[in-house]
Amino acid sequence: MQKEHEKFLLFRIRRFKDQKAFDELYKENAPMVQRFLRYKTPTITEAEDLTAEVFISFWNYAQTAHVDRVQGLLYKIARNVCANYYRKRATRNEAELEDADDVVSKGSVEEEVSAVLSFEAVEKHLKHLKEEYQEVLIMRYLQEMTIREIADVLERSENAVRVLVHRSLKAIRRIMDDYYANRTGSHQISEEASE
């Protein structure tokens, strides 16, 4: 039912440039896009600005081309807008983000990341991951998307997405372990003990 309604709204946008149809798609999808961008940008204000850019691009594209899946297209546009944002930002040489102070509990990698993905601690460390790792963790644990939905967005097989999620979890765990080891001084102690 939702798919048919989405197709109807897309038809209205493409054929008649229907602002009301666009507004309806915006209301249904803007929170998802903004949440995705919130974890990819340093501030809520920047996420809101980039969300507006995403929907302007979506509006322009949807008027001229056939769209199969709104959510998939919005994620692709959001990824591109975010990449452009960081390219521009890098040329301005802005400062790095500050580190988090939260302590991570022990447990299996997936349980730990899932628990911490209330996201205060992981948010700062997430920015140190490869782009595809960041995106898959955001989609899986913040957007609570299924493996199949992520596979559709990334245009990969479900098995490839499962592997990517697993590697992403291991990578964030390594980054967080290094951070907390250095923060508590256990890294320095082990170096002194080896001398």
Side-chain angles (χ1 to χ4, degrees):
M1 186 67 167
Q2 179 67 11
K3 284 280 188 200
E4 295 304 316
H5 181 65
E6 187 176 278
K7 285 180 184 179
F8 174 72
L9 295 174
L10 289 167
F11 169 76
R12 299 281 310 164
I13 292 169
R14 186 166 180 204
R15 179 86 168 157
F16 304 110
K17 300 183 185 344
D18 186 343
Q19 184 68 41
K20 288 182 181 177
F22 173 77
D23 290 345
E24 196 169 330
L25 286 175
Y26 177 86
K27 286 177 189 169
E28 291 172 6
N29 294 285
M32 169 205 65
V33 171
Q34 190 169 346
R35 207 170 31 248
F36 176 76
L37 291 170
R38 173 60 193 105
Y39 292 103
K40 308 272 290 165
T41 58
T43 68
I44 293 172
T45 304
E46 288 166 311
E48 290 169 349
D49 292 345
L50 294 181
T51 299
E53 282 186 47
V54 168
F55 279 93
I56 290 169
S57 296
F58 173 76
W59 169 252
N60 293 331
Y61 184 84
Q63 290 180 66
T64 60
H66 177 73
V67 177
D68 287 323
R69 290 189 55 248
V70 171
Q71 189 179 48
L73 177 61
L74 287 171
Y75 270 114
K76 286 177 187 175
I77 294 171
R79 291 168 72 197
N80 290 334
V81 164
C82 196
N84 289 338
Y85 164 80
Y86 278 105
R87 268 188 229 110
K88 289 176 191 173
R89 184 177 166 160
T91 60
R92 292 189 312 247
N93 293 323
E94 291 188 5
E96 289 292 314
L97 298 174
E98 62 194 60
D99 291 321
D101 293 325
D102 296 317
V103 177
V104 179
S105 62
K106 298 294 178 191
S108 80
V109 174
E110 187 154 2
E111 287 173 351
E112 182 175 335
V113 172
S114 186
V116 175
L117 279 176
S118 57
F119 228 58
E120 293 300 316
V122 175
E123 181 177 10
K124 304 297 182 199
H125 300 291
L126 188 68
K127 310 237 185 252
H128 299 290
L129 291 175
K130 292 184 344 184
E131 186 75 19
E132 68 179 345
Y133 287 1
Q134 291 177 26
E135 291 171 357
V136 76
L137 288 176
I138 290 168
M139 285 187 261
R140 182 73 174 131
Y141 295 103
L142 296 176
Q143 303 288 30
E144 298 179 355
M145 294 172 67
T146 65
I147 296 294
R148 172 173 275 153
E149 290 169 334
I150 297 169
D152 288 345
V153 168
L154 298 179
E155 296 177 347
R156 294 185 177 193
S157 71
E158 290 181 38
N159 285 337
V161 169
R162 282 186 190 91
V163 169
L164 188 58
V165 168
H166 178 72
R167 288 179 181 164
S168 302
L169 290 170
K170 285 177 67 175
I172 194 73
R173 172 59 193 228
R174 272 193 305 272
I175 289 169
M176 292 176 76
D177 281 350
D178 288 346
Y179 172 79
Y180 292 112
N182 289 333
R183 193 145 176 79
T184 61
S186 62
H187 181 66
Q188 293 172 343
I189 293 169
S190 64
E191 284 180 17
E192 292 171 10
S194 65
E195 290 180 356

